[in-house]
Amino acid sequence: MKTGADPRLAEHIDSVRGALMARGRATRAELSADTGLSTMTIGKLLAVMEQRGEVSQDGTLRGGNGRPSTVARYCGDYAHVATLTAEQKGGHSVFRFCVYDALGRPVHSSERTIDDVRPRSFDVFFEEAAARGEQVRLAVFALPGEARGDSLFISDFERLSGDGFLPGIRRRWRVETLFENDVNAAVYGHSFAETADGCAGIYFPRRFCPGAGLVLDGRIVHGHGNFAGEMTFFHGPQAWAELDYADTPRVAGMIVDLLTALACTVAPQSAVLYGDFLTDALMRMLEEGLRTRLHGQFDMRLSAQTEIGPDMERGARRLGLQGLRALLAGQNVR
């Protein structure tokens, strides 16, 4: 069966893939009900996917007519997605590398502290994944910085700046790459349960200047030139570099300024702040300061997380699985 013979076949394979991924295992009749395709068409599509190693037969199930039906199972290990996130801990950069199968199930994770970050610093993670036999098709880098295409034009890790880092990863490890700002990824992970009215986040790593992320209607807002969220320039890099985070009134005033700017421009329903200095007392100061500044006209729900890592991993995983699904859809027409 040549999928290129009919342009609809590529769409049909992706429909079957999505339905089977959602169920994990299913009969042709169940997939037919989910996709609206005939059981005969389902059978032909499953045969193509089985030939690739994407689907396998997983026993039989007796139907209502008494006839056994073959059960298809989606093979999660057919492809993998990897995520690399960075978090500041104790003045050091800690990188976490996670591998998930095509169904989003965690396969492996590891951490390394790397302070002198270079374009080849992460090769060790890919070497270990290859040694374990993991077929990584897509790598998501959720790191502090901004990218336009392959070029990192802002990065806390200066040696990664420019247009050599991502192409180098693709060339050496034969994986597709996706770069996302670390705070964008964190807010994307945090906002799973948020409403369409939006969620913002600001990360205060101390060692570097703060950054912000924004999700509206379930989408990350990047802005013109991917510059959205570069809150460093609101007070200026020097002001943040010299800030004493133990000076609670000063810290509260600067953060209220940032929150006011967000409230008056995009008005997100909620905002999450990431930082190890965020005490209950400081959060109360922020809530009161924001209420006073906005004259009680806008209520933005605030929350605090001492670590950004968990939300960042969730967001990177979500982005990675979406990207992997697009890659798999692209092979349908080959």
Side-chain angles (χ1 to χ4, degrees):
M1 175 181 175
K2 296 181 180 180
T3 57
D6 184 341
R8 293 176 301 175
L9 291 176
E11 300 176 12
H12 292 169
I13 287 180
D14 197 47
S15 295
V16 172
R17 178 183 292 116
L20 191 52
M21 279 182 162
R23 287 179 175 269
R25 58 194 300 272
T27 64
R28 295 182 186 181
E30 289 172 330
L31 294 174
S32 176
D34 289 346
T35 64
L37 301 172
S38 70
T39 55
M40 181 177 295
T41 298
I42 294 290
K44 292 178 180 179
L45 298 173
L46 288 175
V48 173
M49 298 172 74
E50 185 175 355
Q51 187 176 20
R52 293 174 178 168
E54 193 174 359
V55 169
S56 67
Q57 296 185 16
D58 191 25
T60 58
L61 183 67
R62 190 167 296 279
N65 58 6
R67 296 179 180 177
S69 300
T70 301
V71 178
R73 178 178 65 85
Y74 192 86
C75 301
D77 58 359
Y78 173 71
H80 296 84
V81 61
T83 63
L84 184 81
T85 57
E87 188 171 7
Q88 296 302 307
K89 296 182 179 180
H92 298 282
S93 296
V94 179
F95 294 87
R96 183 170 175 81
F97 187 82
C98 299
V99 178
Y100 303 91
D101 71 9
L103 295 174
R105 299 174 300 199
V107 175
H108 182 82
S109 64
S110 59
E111 281 188 3
R112 289 180 182 269
T113 298
I114 308 173
D115 287 325
D116 183 17
V117 179
R118 298 170 180 265
R120 288 180 175 264
S121 292
F122 312 127
D123 282 7
V124 61
F125 292 119
F126 291 95
E127 290 172 356
E128 293 170 349
R132 293 189 298 267
E134 294 157 1
Q135 303 296 317
V136 177
R137 296 280 300 275
L138 173 67
V140 179
F141 295 88
L143 301 176
E146 300 291 353
R148 295 190 186 113
D150 279 340
S151 179
L152 273 65
F153 67 97
I154 296 178
S155 177
D156 287 349
F157 308 116
E158 293 181 1
R159 294 180 185 270
L160 300 186
S161 297
D163 56 6
F165 168 54
L166 296 177
I169 291 290
R170 291 199 298 271
R171 183 178 63 254
R172 292 193 299 277
W173 299 106
R174 296 182 180 180
V175 300
E176 294 298 322
T177 58
L178 188 159
F179 185 92
E180 186 55 79
N181 173 266
D182 56 346
V183 192
N184 283 345
V187 179
Y188 198 53
H190 182 82
S191 64
F192 284 4
E194 296 292 335
T195 71
D197 292 328
C199 178
I202 309 177
Y203 177 37
F204 302 91
R206 293 197 192 221
R207 183 182 174 192
F208 302 108
C209 294
L214 177 66
V215 172
L216 292 176
D217 293 327
R219 296 178 180 272
I220 295 173
V221 176
H222 294 99
H224 175 64
N226 283 6
F227 197 76
E230 291 302 319
M231 306 299 283
T232 292
F233 303 102
F234 192 85
H235 287 290
Q238 196 64 30
W240 293 108
E242 296 176 351
L243 179 62
D244 178 5
Y245 280 87
D247 184 352
T248 302
R250 174 62 175 158
V251 170
M254 291 177 70
I255 296 178
V256 167
D257 286 344
L258 299 183
L259 292 172
T260 300
L262 287 172
C264 293
T265 53
V266 293
Q269 182 186 43
S270 63
V272 55
L273 306 180
Y274 299 99
D276 58 7
F277 62 92
L278 295 165
T279 62
D280 291 341
L282 176 56
M283 292 302 294
R284 287 193 292 270
M285 290 179 65
L286 297 178
E287 290 170 352
E288 181 59 31
L290 187 61
R291 189 178 304 112
T292 299
R293 184 73 66 83
L294 299 177
H295 299 280
Q297 296 299 307
F298 182 73
D299 181 23
M300 182 164 58
R301 186 171 65 252
L302 300 182
S303 62
Q305 302 281 353
T306 57
E307 295 184 355
I308 194 173
D311 280 351
M312 198 171 2
E313 287 178 24
R314 278 191 288 269
R317 171 184 174 274
R318 188 182 183 193
L319 290 167
L321 292 175
Q322 291 170 348
L324 181 62
R325 176 74 182 273
L327 285 178
L328 295 178
Q331 77 180 7
N332 296 343
V333 297
R334 297 174 185 171

